[in-house]
Amino acid sequence: MSTAATPSPDAPGDNHHLSRQLTLRDLVLSQVLVVVGSSWVGLAAGLGHAQTLVWLFAFAVFYLPMAAVVYYLNREMPLEGGLYVWARRSFGDITGFLTAWNVWVYGLVVIALLLFQLPSEFAFMIGPSAAWIPESHPVVLTAIAILLTLLTLSAIRGLALGKWIHNVSGAAMITAFALLILAPFWAYAHHLPIHFTPFELHLPKTDPTSLALIGQIIFASSGLEYIAIMAGEVKAPSRDIGRSILIASPIVILMFTLGTASVLSFHELTHSTINYIAPIPQTLRLAFGDSGAATLLARFVILLLQIRILGTASYIFAGVARLPMTAGWDHLIPAWFSRLNPRYRTPTNSILFSAAFIALLVVLGSAGVHAAEAFNVLNNSSTEFYALAYLVMFAVPIIGLAALRKRIPTWVIILSAVGLLSTAATLALNAYPFNTSTRPAPFAAKILGTTLLINLLGFAFYRIRNQRPSSNLTTSHL
């Protein structure tokens, strides 16, 4: 790979005349939306007053390496497909395909899970009178079907509409966290004996449950590279994606650390058990009570989190639909997936196929005990799929194309090695349950077995589709 071979940010042959909709503002809000998940502050609070040190550790060994690698790889290859393109051009077709496969499966599972969350979040917002909603399969499935249809139509319309959904959702997430972070000061004003200490540095315990939680937290801030999947639809991808990382990073760090400290402080005040699924709504209920204006505020924040869930599902769906499109451009899967809507320039076939797959996962998750268990195992394995893709990303600056490595600073290569080791540790720790009621050995067997099975299916699909000697398409592109 020579210097002259670096692709142009606006190369029409690489991005197939996609509609460039995304500006720097859109990118920053999308980065916050996809990186900051509401459940992570609950998991981190489970570590007690060691949470700040663990967050700082996670930022040092994972977030900083991720940010640096994404910044430089996007600058070298600011192309639609993002991580898939980086992997394929560095290591060849099969690695590129399996990288996209793992991100695609991860995205589908996460979208299905997010849709499942909404009825429960809605019932939590309304109160005890709506407790029946999550238990009613007809209501839940009808609601999910409507939401999935709306997501599909929005994805077909493209980022001209989708970016506003993502922007509103990102702003809603920031607002919700701002209220969560301000809640301890409200408690101080009402003379409650709250202990809000976001900057304490305590060592975590070394028991298996704490180590499992640390493994979760290390990978909690993943997602900065996801926007690069849509680089061909960014107005200035080589410049603005990197700038969005620099602007969003301090916001992300403050939201995680201060938000976790707030969750921890109210749970210590009330001696309650942390709800790992919905820690922010639970914390706001503890903070503001169950009556009057305080309850309205808590419900408002829960509504913001529901908007965030919808926005995240829409954002992940946008990336999920574009991975088959770019793989189709490279002839790794049928060209049918790459056909663009003549008006909106979106991959309609890929969108519809992905929506059908999500619907299948939703049915699997609600069609009986055994099917629901299968979906839960797949969901628990989703982090493993994403981590495998990250292993490839961190490997690109270390053992990728020699000419590319020469243009990447040595300190970024060193950080890549740190990120690689952190991701490998996450793969191992994620196979251990942080729930003490779960037996570790069967849990690990299910997680690792499912991860292996999904990748074997992807490899088999690739081999059946490409019954020919592996061609080095990297050379032809470069």
Side-chain angles (χ1 to χ4, degrees), residues 2 6 61 160 207 216 287 332 342 385 398 431:
S2 63
T6 302
V61 302
D207 60 276
Q216 295 276 330
L332 300 185
F385 304 139
I398 302 172

Side-chain angles (χ1 to χ4, degrees), residues 121-454:
E121 293 276 350
F122 179 78
F124 203 90
M125 180 183 72
I126 299 300
S129 63
W132 62 273
I133 292 178
E135 304 302 324
S136 173
H137 279 195
V139 172
V140 169
L141 291 178
T142 300
I144 290 176
I146 293 172
L147 291 171
L148 183 56
T149 300
L150 293 175
L151 287 177
T152 303
L153 293 175
S154 172
I156 291 173
R157 180 60 179 82
L159 293 175
L161 172 62
K163 69 177 183 180
W164 293 110
I165 298 174
H166 308 155
N167 288 351
V168 170
S169 301
M173 191 63 167
I174 292 173
T175 303
F177 263 77
L179 292 172
L180 174 68
I181 293 167
L182 290 173
F185 299 96
W186 181 91
Y188 284 136
H190 288 76
H191 308 291
L192 296 177
I194 195 167
H195 187 58
F196 179 63
T197 53
F199 304 113
E200 282 186 323
L201 299 178
H202 294 275
L203 289 174
K205 298 177 182 178
T206 57
D207 60 276
T209 299
S210 295
L211 291 176
L213 284 171
I214 291 171
Q216 295 276 330
I217 298 308
I218 288 175
F219 206 67
S221 56
S222 59
L224 282 180
E225 88 301 328
Y226 202 86
I227 192 64
I229 295 175
M230 294 167 269
E233 296 159 272
V234 177
K235 292 184 181 295
S238 59
R239 181 193 67 193
D240 283 350
I241 289 179
R243 289 172 65 190
S244 74
I245 293 172
L246 297 177
I247 296 171
S249 291
I251 300 173
V252 168
I253 291 170
L254 288 174
M255 288 173 72
F256 273 134
T257 53
L258 298 181
T260 303
S262 181
V263 172
L264 178 62
S265 64
F266 280 102
H267 283 83
E268 287 186 335
L269 176 65
T270 58
H271 305 287
S272 55
T273 302
I274 298 172
N275 184 328
Y276 287 141
I277 298 175
I280 296 179
Q282 183 197 28
T283 300
L284 292 173
R285 288 285 190 187
L286 295 175
F288 301 124
D290 292 319
S291 62
T295 297
L296 292 178
L297 177 60
R299 289 180 176 178
F300 171 68
V301 172
I302 295 170
L303 176 62
L304 293 178
L305 293 176
Q306 290 181 78
I307 294 172
R308 178 260 169 187
I309 290 173
L310 278 173
T312 303
S314 172
Y315 180 80
I316 296 176
F317 195 7
V320 157
R322 281 153 178 79
L323 288 171
M325 176 186 73
T326 51
W329 287 345
D330 295 326
H331 310 290
L332 300 185
I333 62 175
W336 180 84
F337 288 95
S338 299
R339 293 175 188 168
L340 299 179
N341 184 295
R343 179 178 180 183
Y344 301 123
R345 308 303 294 168
T346 53
T348 305
N349 292 340
S350 179
I351 290 168
L352 294 174
F353 181 83
S354 298
F357 215 104
I358 294 168
L360 179 64
L361 288 174
V362 168
V363 172
L364 182 67
S366 58
V369 175
H370 295 297
E373 182 181 358
F375 175 79
N376 287 333
V377 171
L378 193 59
N379 174 54
N380 290 335
S381 303
S382 62
T383 299
E384 303 287 77
F385 304 139
Y386 207 17
L388 288 173
Y390 265 85
L391 286 178
V392 176
M393 185 184 78
F394 284 126
V396 171
I398 302 172
I399 57 174
L401 296 171
L404 172 64
R405 298 200 308 271
K406 290 179 181 178
R407 294 200 297 274
I408 293 180
T410 302
W411 65 269
V412 176
I413 296 175
I414 295 172
L415 282 178
S416 299
V418 174
L420 187 71
L421 292 174
S422 300
T423 305
T426 297
L427 274 167
L429 292 173
N430 190 62
Y432 190 93
F434 58 83
N435 186 340
T436 54
S437 64
T438 303
R439 294 172 58 198
F443 181 86
K446 289 179 180 179
I447 298 302
L448 298 177
T450 301
T451 304
L452 177 61
L453 176 61
I454 293 296

